[in-house]
Amino acid sequence: MAVQTGPDKIRKTIYEQICKHIRQYRFETGGIIGVNEQRIICDFRFDNIISPAKYEYLPNTHYLNEIINSVWMEKNISFVGFVHSHLHTDNISQQDINYVREILKVNSFLEHILVGVINLEDKDDCIRWFLISMECVCDCIVNKIA
């Protein structure tokens, strides 16, 4: 996988919020991430999952779309992707890739989506980032900032 850039910065407080929040729950939970006008990841909203699936993250799209189309629109925050947890790996799954590509099909204004994966067995709170487009899946570097 090649390394590409999407939003290349995340506020340290948001990074810590993601790691802390997701680690409180079982694997295959997560939420959406948004960027400000400077393309810095500035918001994370944990998903209010109605009925969690055992082996895949199935977002509550009604709830999350309400955040994107109301709350974030008022604050000039744009959807850039999502973060979720896996149990034994920080690799992206084929289901994750397929899901992202379905989102891209119906949102043609998006060129790619950033996906963060947290391995719940890794105690370092490390998020592995992937930039997914219709053509490729690339490792992505996202740096923490103050």
Side-chain angles (χ1 to χ4, degrees), residues 39-91:
R39 303 284 301 152
I40 297 170
I41 299 170
C42 64
D43 203 352
F44 166 72
R45 296 299 172 110
F46 189 71
D47 191 355
N48 181 14
I49 301 171
I50 296 170
S51 54
K54 189 167 183 176
Y55 294 108
E56 63 183 328
Y57 172 49
L58 299 172
N60 179 345
T61 54
H62 178 74
Y63 170 76
L64 297 175
N65 283 335
E66 186 66 29
I67 299 292
I68 294 166
N69 297 323
S70 295
V71 177
W72 282 0
M73 191 174 288
E74 289 175 17
K75 295 180 178 181
N76 217 13
I77 296 173
S78 300
F79 169 79
V80 72
F82 61 92
V83 179
H84 70 293
S85 61
H86 287 176
L87 185 56
H88 301 294
T89 182
D90 62 0
N91 283 322

Side-chain angles (χ1 to χ4, degrees), residues 117-136:
V117 179
I118 297 175
N119 176 0
L120 290 182
E121 293 178 335
D122 180 2
K123 301 304 179 199
D124 292 335
D125 285 336
C126 183
I127 302 173
R128 184 171 177 193
W129 299 99
F130 299 89
L131 200 62
I132 302 172
S133 70
M134 293 303 281
E135 296 81 33
C136 69

Side-chain angles (χ1 to χ4, degrees), residues 6 10-11 17-18 23 27 34 38 48 60 71 74 78 81-82 84 91-92 107 109 112 115 121-122 134 146:
I10 182 169
R11 292 190 196 280
Q17 175 190 1
I18 292 168
R23 287 190 177 284
F27 60 97
Q38 293 78 36
N48 181 14
N60 179 345
V71 177
E74 289 175 17
S78 300
F82 61 92
H84 70 293
N91 283 322
I92 193 92
N107 294 282
F109 61 93
H112 51 262
V115 178
E121 293 178 335
D122 180 2
M134 293 303 281

